[in-house]
Each structure stands twice: as structure tokens, then as C-alpha cells.
Amino acid sequence: MINYDLTRIRAIVFDVDGVLSAETITLSFEGEPLRTVNIKDGYAIQLAVKLGLRIVIMTGGNTEAVRLRYERLGVKDVYMGCAVKMKSYEQFLADSHLTDAEIMYMGDDIPDLEVMRRVGCPVCPADACTEVQQASLYVSDRRGGYGCGRDVIEQTLRAQHKWMMDERAFGW
């Protein structure tokens, strides 16, 4: 259970590699990373968007497949090629007019730490590095790419009394 007032959360920011996809990726013959995605994470993301929770993708990667995946789920805020995530995070704050306290961030490795130390609710998958786990208010029992996104979205929507509350839950 996440030890934070989840009724305050208005946006959840997700890293991709190691969070919404497994930490090991296959490379194509052209050298492009081929990621796996979790269907239950996808369901939860599109439902959260429909219910008004802002979902944000912030990744160091820069492949069109990632952008398409999350845009097709309704995500409007997709930040690609984030060499320094704090710059993208500050841009998101300026654009969204949200406060740090209204944001959950799920990351798994050192490039996520700077933002995780700033947001109100830092969380991580079970297989995040030690430093990220220590900075987190909650460590999911799910590994990256295996439903940790669904875990934190579901907990947030339940706390806000939005999980399974109407017919929007039963479709894509």
C-alpha cells in the first residue's frame, strides 16, 4: 500500500525502460531496441486517462514505437530522449500548472533519482536499483514490465473512488 494521500495525485509520470518495459531489451538487426509491454499496464493507463488522471511518459529512449504505444493509449504528455529528466519534468510542471505534491513518479534507475527526490510521491518497481528503492515511498511487488504500472495506477484510482466506478472500466 502506498503511504501517501493518493487523493492528491493528479499526474503519474512513468519511465519506460525498466518500468513499463522489462529491464532487458532485444535489439533488432538495425540496432533498434525492441521492448515488451504489459497488457494490464496498458489497460490501466488508458483507463486512467479516460478518468482524468494525467499520465506522463518520460524516457531517455527515442523510438517511434514507444511514442505510438502511449499515444494510442491516450497519453498526451510523451517526453522522449530525456538525457536529463529534470529538464523535462520542469517543462511538464510549467505546462500543467501542477505542484510537486500532486505528482507520482515511477522510476527504476539513477537517471530517475533527481525527479523522484522532488515529487510528492516517488515509487518504483520491485527490481529498481537500491538508491531508487531507498528514495521511494513505495516499492511495488511487481517488477518493471510486469505490472508495476497497473499496481500504482489501480491504487491511485481506488483511493480516488474511480476504479471500476462506471462503464468506462469495461472497454478500451
Side-chain angles (χ1 to χ4, degrees):
M1 190 94 151
I2 301 172
N3 187 21
Y4 192 79
D5 179 4
L6 297 178
T7 63
R8 298 179 71 186
I9 298 299
R10 299 289 168 256
I12 302 177
V13 180
F14 289 103
D15 176 32
V16 174
D17 295 330
V19 175
L20 294 176
S21 70
E23 65 183 352
T24 301
I25 54 177
T26 303
L27 294 176
S28 73
F29 288 113
E30 295 80 28
E32 286 292 316
L34 303 173
R35 294 164 176 90
T36 59
V37 293
N38 184 282
I39 298 302
K40 289 185 174 107
D41 283 350
Y43 168 79
I45 288 168
Q46 62 81 36
L47 180 61
V49 169
K50 286 193 290 194
L51 297 176
L53 186 61
R54 201 151 174 184
I55 301 296
V56 182
I57 300 299
M58 202 167 287
T59 179
N62 198 9
T63 59
E64 191 61 17
V66 169
R67 179 184 310 283
L68 287 173
R69 162 76 174 156
Y70 296 104
E71 286 179 354
R72 288 175 179 162
L73 293 173
V75 177
K76 304 281 188 241
D77 301 293
V78 179
Y79 295 85
M80 307 285 291
C82 304
V84 177
K85 291 187 178 183
M86 184 58 79
K87 291 179 184 178
S88 298
Y89 178 72
E90 288 176 345
Q91 182 64 54
F92 170 71
L93 282 180
D95 293 344
S96 68
H97 306 291
L98 295 175
T99 66
D100 293 328
E102 296 173 303
I103 299 172
M104 176 186 291
Y105 185 103
M106 184 171 241
D108 72 306
D109 208 354
I110 302 302
D112 301 305
L113 267 176
E114 188 177 25
V115 178
M116 290 181 74
R117 289 178 173 150
R118 180 162 164 186
V119 300
C121 187
V123 298
C124 69
D127 55 347
C129 75
T130 301
E131 293 85 355
V132 167
Q133 288 189 28
Q134 291 171 346
S136 295
L137 292 178
Y138 173 74
V139 178
S140 176
D141 64 347
R142 309 277 174 108
R143 293 180 299 137
Y146 293 92
C148 63
R150 162 73 173 258
D151 176 24
V152 298
I153 290 172
E154 185 174 335
Q155 286 192 55
T156 303
L157 292 177
R158 282 185 187 279
Q160 296 178 3
H161 305 290
K162 294 179 180 178
W163 184 256
M164 301 289 292
M165 292 306 293
D166 63 33
E167 69 281 349
R168 290 176 287 183
F170 301 105
W172 283 80

